[in-house]
């Protein structure tokens, strides 16, 4: 079913900033426009995500950050009124090409949600292995994989004695790390995180941040966050999103994190990261 | 007071929110006894008939609740008082109906209830045969077989319908929903007649247990489908997103995440479906025909079932047969309780660590 959406006359300013390499990219969006029904919510977003980097997406609420990362692994299309234009290039192929199966895309580009959502009918161990079963993958050594994934997510020591308890018996922070372990068990190339720490206490937050830094040695991470300090702590690159009046959101500036926070090009970026608005 | 401070005791656990002031208690006592006392006196004197004084009591009690509530907490108390009094009467009404049904089945049913009654069949037994001979073993088996087959057919179809409506969200979703709704309004005798007209009258099948099961299926299916639909809607959208983001196909999401999460609710759907049909007589009259012999083959020959046995029994003018019918009702009640308890216990999650 092809839905044509009338274009809203809005021209997004070009994204500013420099210092993000355009070589060795794992993931990139090119001139991405996003709609919900007739309303355009994102305009002309072109961002590059270099291999084994952590990119933080910051910006005020409602500017389309979450929508944006949902377009990166084809979760966006699950909303009935959703539409989009442009390309998302993942490992040199457009994921919105008609020949691409969204299930394969989601298998390689994992996602961690804002609210911890372990499967309540499964044990901790089953939760970690659920990705394998759901995607019909086989793994010869399941116990090893459970330990590896939980260790990567920084949860192994806390739960190794009660792997047969249900996921719901863990605290909120532990549940979130369980969800991270679950995403890691299918060995994705990219991990998208939508405010993964917004429901966590400071201790769990630091733990998750350390996990992200460890992951970035072999994985590309994109993280949406409202916490400026968190972006500075974990991200190699930062992109600043903004929406003004009733126009769609767009990416104002994208560059190395220390540039965005220390020496931003755009005045609005400077105002936002210094807490003067938003 | 001072001794407690000196000894530095830990206080005992209390529930201050449950404490009532003496004033509260007085209001409740006066409001709930005065109308009863007044109406009882009127009834004793004989001014009004029992029915009228009963109705007067309901009206006065609700009014008393309203007044007491207003005195206590003003306008918001008014609604409180009226509601508490009305709910009390509703509870008393339902309680009376329920307990009188159970009581009459119990008292009249215990007379003929012996071991032999549950085990033997009804062959060679006439309505005037004394108690102590014959039984409803054949009808118990028949009911179990017929309800069992109906469950096996309607639960998968019902759950599949619910999955189509809530998960697949296919294009004919609204049509299917409408059909299910229309189906749930089918009178039970029509379900029986439908099977009779299409499968028995046309000569495709004889009277047999399977026909009864199919008639039951027509009644069970909408109940199972609608309950399952409600239950599947309760599964959080987060879990579907999580599973999809892990690279699962839609089918795997349903079979591995949605259905297991809703498991206990789906058992409820099944139980409600069984409860809908287990006491139904009308669908069986034209389909299984009834039998005095034991027949456990659902595809050959007439079969017996407890509701049909009760229906035939209570119509007889002979005391022993009526007593047997009441006992059969008691057995049916007992079967339902045992089965429902069993299903609940089996479906409850026995894993540790559940919140």
């Amino acid at each position: 079913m092809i839905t044509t959406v009338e274009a809203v006359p809005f021209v997004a300013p070009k994204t500013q900033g420099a210092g993000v390499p355009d070589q060795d990219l794992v993931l990139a969006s090119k001139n991405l426009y996003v709609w919900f029904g007739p309303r355009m919510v994102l305009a002309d977003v072109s961002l590059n995500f270099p291999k084994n980097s952590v990119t933080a997406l910051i910006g005020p609420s409602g500017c389309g950050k979450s929508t944006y990362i949902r377009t990166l692994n084809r979760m966006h299309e699950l909303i009935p009124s959703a539409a989009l234009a442009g390309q998302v290039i993942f490992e040199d192929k457009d994921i919105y090409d008609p020949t691409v199966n969204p299930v394969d895309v989601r298998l390689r580009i994992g996602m961690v949600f804002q609210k911890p959502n372990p499967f309540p009918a499964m044990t901790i161990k089953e939760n970690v292995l659920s990705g394998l079963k759901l995607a019909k993958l086989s793994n010869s050594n399941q116990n090893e994989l459970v330990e590896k994934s939980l260790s990567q997510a920084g949860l192994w020591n806390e739960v190794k004695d009660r792997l047969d308890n249900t996921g719901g018996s863990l605290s909120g922070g532990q549940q979130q790390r369980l969800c991270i372990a679950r995403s890691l068990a299918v060995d994705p190339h990219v991990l998208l995180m939508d405010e993964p720490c917004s429901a966590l206490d400071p201790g769990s937050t630091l733990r998750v941040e350390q996990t992200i830094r460890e992951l970035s040695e072999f994985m590309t991470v994109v993280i949406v966050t409202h916490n400026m300090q968190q972006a500075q702590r974990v991200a190699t690159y930062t992109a600043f999103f903004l929406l003004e009046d009733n126009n769609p959101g767009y990416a104002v500036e994208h560059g190395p994190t220390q540039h965005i926070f220390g020496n931003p090009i755009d005045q609005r970026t400077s105002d936002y990261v210094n807490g003067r608005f938003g | 007071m001072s001794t407690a401070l000196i000894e530095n005791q830990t206080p005992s656990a209390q529930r201050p929110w449950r404490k009532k002031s003496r004033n509260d208690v007085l209001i409740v006592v006066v409001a709930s006894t005065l109308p009863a006392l007044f109406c009882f006196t009127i009834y004793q004197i004989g001014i009004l008939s029992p029915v009228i004084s009963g109705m007067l009591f309901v009206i006065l009690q609700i009014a008393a609740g309203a007044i007491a509530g207003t005195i206590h907490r003003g306008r918001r108390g008014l609604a409180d008082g009226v509601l508490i009094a009305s709910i009390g009467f509703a509870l008393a009404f339902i309680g009376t109906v329920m307990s009188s049904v159970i009581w009459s089945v119990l008292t009249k049913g215990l007379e003929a209830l012996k071991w032999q009654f549950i085990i033997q069949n009804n062959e060679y037994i006439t309505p005037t045969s004394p108690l102590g001979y014959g039984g409803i073993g054949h009808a118990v088996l028949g009911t179990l077989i017929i309800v069992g087959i109906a469950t096996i057919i309607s639960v998968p179809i019902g759950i599949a319908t619910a999955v189509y409506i809530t998960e697949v969200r296919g294009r004919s979703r609204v049509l299917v929903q409408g059909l299910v709704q229309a189906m749930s309004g089918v009178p039970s005798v029509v379900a029986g007649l439908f099977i009779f007209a299409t499968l028995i009258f046309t000569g495709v099948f004889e009277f047999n247990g399977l026909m009864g099961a199919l008639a039951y299926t027509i009644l069970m299916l909408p109940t199972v489908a609608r309950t399952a639909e409600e239950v599947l809607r309760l599964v959080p959208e987060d879990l579907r997103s999580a599973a999809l983001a892990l690279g699962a196909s839609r089918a795997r999401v349903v079979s591995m995440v949605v259905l297991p999460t809703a498991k206990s609710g789906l058992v409820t759907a099944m139980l409600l479906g069984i409860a809908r049909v287990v006491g139904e007589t009308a669908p069986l009259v034209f389909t299984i025909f009834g039998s005095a012999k034991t027949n456990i083959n659902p595809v050959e020959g007439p079969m017996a079932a407890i509701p049909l046995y009760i229906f035939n029994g209570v119509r007889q003018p002979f005391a022993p047969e009526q007593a047997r019918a009441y006992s059969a009702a008691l057995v049916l009640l007992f079967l339902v309780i045992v089965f429902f308890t069993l299903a609940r216990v089996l479906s409850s999650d026995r894993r540790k660590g559940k919140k």
Side-chain angles (χ1 to χ4, degrees), chain B residues 24 27 67-78 80-81:
Chain B
D24 295 346
I27 290 176
I67 294 164
T70 316
I71 293 170
H72 190 205
R73 294 204 299 127
R75 278 200 62 189
R76 282 192 293 171
L78 178 90
D80 256 15

Side-chain angles (χ1 to χ4, degrees), chain B residues 142-303:
Chain B
T143 288
L144 290 180
I145 291 168
I146 293 166
V147 172
I149 295 174
T151 307
I152 290 169
I153 301 174
S154 61
V155 167
I157 300 178
I159 293 177
T161 310
V163 166
Y164 180 79
I165 293 172
T166 62
E167 306 297 316
V168 181
R169 290 162 198 253
R171 234 168 276 177
S172 356
R173 180 169 93 244
V174 180
L175 179 71
V176 173
Q177 258 175 325
L179 283 177
V180 169
Q181 201 139 8
M183 234 177 126
S184 58
V186 171
S188 55
V189 67
V190 173
L193 277 171
F194 172 74
I195 298 295
F196 178 76
T198 51
L199 294 178
I200 300 173
F201 187 67
T202 51
V204 183
F205 283 98
E206 304 278 301
F207 290 115
N208 64 34
L210 182 64
M211 296 301 102
L214 290 180
Y216 269 2
T217 302
I218 294 175
L219 295 177
M220 254 179 105
L221 193 55
T223 311
V224 175
R226 284 180 55 121
T227 318
E229 186 193 327
E230 294 301 323
V231 167
L232 293 187
R233 272 189 216 288
L234 292 179
V235 174
E237 203 54 47
D238 282 0
L239 299 183
R240 298 189 182 94
S241 300
L244 286 168
L246 283 170
S249 63
R250 281 280 188 184
R252 300 287 276 181
V253 174
V254 172
S255 66
M256 292 189 56
V257 175
V258 178
L259 293 183
T261 306
K263 190 178 77 180
S264 76
L266 294 175
V267 171
T268 305
M270 184 186 82
L271 292 184
L272 285 178
I274 292 175
R276 171 77 182 83
V277 298
V278 73
E280 281 286 353
T281 315
L284 301 181
V285 177
F286 308 101
T287 51
I288 66 167
F289 198 68
S291 160
K293 294 180 198 160
T294 310
N295 174 15
I296 55 166
N297 184 353
V299 288
E300 191 162 2
M303 219 177 196

Side-chain angles (χ1 to χ4, degrees), chain A residues 75 103 106 117 121 133 166 169, chain B residues 238 244-245 247 252 256 351 353:
Chain A
M75 292 295 282
V103 170
R106 293 178 200 137
N117 51 6
K133 287 189 193 138
T166 57
S169 66
Chain B
D238 282 0
L244 286 168
R252 300 287 276 181
M256 292 189 56
R351 279 186 202 146

